[in-house]
Amino acid sequence: MAKRQKLSLRQKRRVASRNEKKLAATTTAIDDDSLGDIQSGIVISRYGEQVDVANEQRQVHRLYLRQNLGSCVSGDRVVFRLDDQGHGVVEAIEPRQSELTRPTAHAGVKTIVANVEQIFIVVAPLPDYSSLILDRYLVACELANIPAHILLNKTDLLDQQQQKYFEQQLTIYKNIGYQCFTANCTQAIGLEQLLTEMKGKDNILVGQSGVGKSSLINQLLPDVEALTGAVSENSRLGTHTTTASRLYFLPEDGWIIDSPGVREFGLSHIEPEQLIDGFIDLKPFAGGCKFRNCRHLNEKGCALAQASNEHKISQQRFENYQKIYQQIISS
């Protein structure tokens, strides 16, 4: 079989332009006079210029988006209208109560999800754990003013040495004030406590590819069949099985969003001066530096360096702050 050639940037733009024209023709073909009354709903997932929207009875309709509505993501609350055949159009996106964003290579800052009330950052021993990626997520949550929790998944893979290491890691974050959970999908351990914490709230699972977010969804909601993937033993990296964020309703009230995994989570879209606000344990010491414009890297009289030396703050967290700061200013 001949290998498919990659499209050039110009070819991609042509394809996008044709798709936009097709969408415009389709939405124009929907007769506004045939559409019924305004209904309220929530976006389940997005597919290009169409979205799956659940109404107040949790019935799902695939709808077109009116042009120029802007970004529309899972968790968005929208108003829409349907015709007699169940076809319809999203007319407007309601104001968001919260949104989680991240930078992308070509689209600038991208909103990942909207209106979540709490975020579970999933980590695991495989793919290889990175406290730096965890801290990047925590910074994004703090700057978005969304409560964050840490969930250690795949605890069945831990040997005795790893068990001790992860206990130490979770202790660092518990001491800061973050709530930490553990789970094991293979033996269904920790899931009941997790579901209790999520009940009645609007949640999202985020984390690296391969940490088991979709497997957790399948265990928490047995009727759901979220796609799962394996982790490569050679690269120790997960595969991007979930390609688009998708919302799943909890049995009674609330929902969970399963988000696509990432191998990195950048913060290049924030200003360097904002970073300290994302480190809730370091921020109280920042005002004690000798110089007001201290970047907390290698400056004399840095209160954070002194606090780290005196073990008043985690050395790991302080070093991660410095690494992220340098990545931001070099991006």
Side-chain angles (χ1 to χ4, degrees):
M1 181 180 292
K3 189 175 181 180
R4 182 179 295 177
Q5 293 183 342
K6 291 185 178 180
L7 296 178
S8 67
L9 182 58
R10 180 175 295 180
Q11 289 171 323
K12 290 179 181 179
R13 286 172 177 169
R14 288 175 182 168
V15 171
S17 177
R18 286 198 296 268
N19 289 339
E20 287 178 3
K21 290 178 180 178
K22 288 180 182 178
L23 173 65
T26 305
T27 53
T28 301
I30 296 177
D31 183 6
D32 283 1
D33 292 336
S34 68
L35 297 175
D37 295 335
I38 286 288
Q39 300 185 52
S40 297
I42 188 168
V43 174
I44 301 296
S45 191
R46 179 166 182 171
Y47 305 92
E49 298 305 324
Q50 291 179 297
V51 288
D52 280 354
V53 174
N55 63 14
E56 294 177 349
Q57 291 74 42
R58 296 190 174 182
Q59 298 169 325
V60 179
H61 302 276
R62 181 158 295 186
L63 309 174
Y64 288 99
L65 293 165
R66 289 286 189 199
Q67 289 184 301
N68 303 319
L69 276 185
S71 170
C72 187
V73 297
S74 298
D76 265 324
R77 296 181 178 89
V78 298
V79 292
F80 65 96
R81 293 196 294 160
L82 298 174
D83 62 17
D84 293 338
Q85 283 72 46
H87 304 135
V89 178
V90 173
E91 301 285 0
I93 302 171
E94 297 183 8
R96 292 168 175 163
Q97 301 302 310
S98 68
E99 59 180 10
L100 183 65
T101 62
R102 71 178 180 89
T104 62
H106 305 293
V109 179
K110 178 181 179 181
T111 300
I112 303 172
V113 291
N115 299 317
V116 295
E117 294 177 305
Q118 58 182 2
I119 296 174
F120 289 83
I121 305 168
V122 186
V123 299
L126 187 69
D128 289 339
Y129 166 76
S130 167
S131 67
L132 185 61
I133 294 178
L134 172 56
D135 282 342
R136 287 187 191 134
Y137 271 113
L138 288 171
V139 168
C141 295
E142 293 297 337
L143 295 182
N145 198 29
I146 305 173
H149 309 307
I150 299 168
L151 170 57
L152 172 61
N153 194 26
K154 302 184 181 181
T155 56
D156 54 309
L157 300 181
L158 299 175
D159 58 28
Q160 189 172 3
Q161 184 177 358
Q162 290 173 321
Q163 179 74 35
K164 183 177 180 180
Y165 170 74
F166 277 101
E167 285 177 357
Q168 293 171 340
Q169 284 295 300
L170 293 185
T171 298
I172 290 174
Y173 294 96
K174 288 177 182 177
N175 289 341
I176 298 171
Y178 289 109
Q179 192 170 4
C180 298
F181 298 85
T182 58
N184 169 358
C185 290
T186 303
Q187 299 168 318
I189 294 175
L191 301 177
E192 186 175 346
Q193 181 186 10
L194 187 59
L195 193 57
T196 298
E197 180 63 30
M198 292 181 172
K199 185 177 179 181
K201 299 177 183 177
D202 301 330
N203 313 271
I204 182 174
L205 302 179
V206 300
Q208 292 176 269
S209 303
V211 292
K213 299 185 297 295
S214 296
S215 295
L216 285 164
I217 294 285
N218 289 333
Q219 289 291 323
L220 293 169
L221 304 172
D223 294 335
V224 167
E225 294 183 359
L227 294 175
T228 59
V231 175
S232 168
E233 289 292 341
N234 293 325
S235 67
R236 299 183 67 83
L237 297 175
T239 55
H240 301 282
T241 309
T242 302
T243 57
S245 295
R246 183 168 185 83
L247 183 150
Y248 299 96
F249 288 108
L250 293 171
E252 297 178 16
D253 190 20
W255 40 258
I256 313 172
I257 290 178
D258 183 13
S259 67
V262 297
R263 289 178 182 165
E264 295 289 339
F265 188 87
L267 294 169
S268 60
H269 60 303
I270 71 171
E271 295 297 327
E273 296 76 18
Q274 291 180 279
L275 181 60
I276 194 66
D277 293 328
F279 280 82
I280 58 175
D281 49 331
L282 309 189
K283 186 178 179 180
F285 294 91
C289 295
K290 182 176 181 180
F291 302 103
R292 290 184 58 187
N293 61 346
C294 183
R295 300 180 302 168
H296 318 300
L297 297 179
N298 299 305
E299 295 90 342
K300 292 183 179 179
C302 176
L304 290 186
Q306 181 178 346
S308 177
N309 292 333
E310 295 174 354
H311 305 291
K312 294 179 179 178
I313 60 175
S314 160
Q315 182 178 356
Q316 173 182 290
R317 287 271 290 174
F318 181 44
E319 290 176 353
N320 282 350
Y321 165 87
Q322 293 176 318
K323 291 175 183 177
I324 296 171
Y325 191 99
Q326 289 171 329
Q327 290 166 350
I328 291 173
I329 61 178
S330 63
S331 61

